[in-house]
């Protein structure tokens, strides 16, 4: 399952993201999350505890982008076989 496949976008911990995103390395996930945070699409909340407890969630802009991209992603998924054949 991909994060984009989720009907509802919730706060997720690092380990939850790793399980949901297929085929991504830890390094690429870390880089992508940093970029999304810098772009204002993802919020990172680190709790001052040991072991570290870090949660990620979408900002208002991230939710808006998700809502706009979702129909496109659904269309691509529904038409992928036909697209690949051509």
């Amino acid at each position: 399952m991909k994060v984009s496949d989720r009907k509802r976008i919730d706060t997720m911990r690092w380990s939850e993201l790793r399980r949901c995103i297929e085929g991504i390395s830890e390094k690429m996930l870390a880089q992508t999350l940093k970029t999304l945070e810098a772009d204002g699409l993802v919020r990172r909340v680190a709790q001052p505890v040991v072991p570290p407890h870090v949660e990620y969630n979408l900002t208002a802009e991230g939710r808006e982008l998700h809502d706009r991209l979702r129909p496109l992603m659904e269309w691509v998924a529904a038409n992928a076989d036909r697209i690949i054949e051509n």
Side-chain angles (χ1 to χ4, degrees):
M1 175 173 124
K2 296 181 179 132
V3 171
S4 60
D5 293 337
R6 294 168 60 102
K7 296 288 184 197
R8 190 167 154 241
I9 301 298
D10 299 315
T11 297
M12 298 179 76
R13 294 188 65 186
W14 171 268
S15 58
E16 293 172 302
L17 286 167
R18 281 283 291 137
R19 282 192 299 270
C20 287
I21 303 173
E22 299 169 0
I24 190 168
S25 69
E26 288 188 14
K27 180 181 177 182
M28 183 55 66
L29 178 58
Q31 289 175 342
T32 301
L33 288 169
K34 284 180 185 178
T35 300
L36 292 171
E37 183 182 12
D39 291 343
L41 300 173
V42 168
R43 180 179 305 108
R44 178 183 187 271
V45 179
Q47 304 295 328
V49 296
V50 177
H53 181 98
V54 180
E55 296 178 337
Y56 298 89
N57 57 41
L58 293 177
T59 61
E61 292 83 6
R63 283 190 302 277
E64 181 182 354
L65 179 61
H66 173 267
D67 292 345
R68 292 176 182 269
L69 287 176
R70 185 162 187 81
L72 174 62
M73 294 183 300
E74 289 171 349
W75 182 88
V76 169
N79 293 283
D81 291 338
R82 185 177 55 80
I83 293 168
I84 293 170
E85 287 175 5
N86 294 327

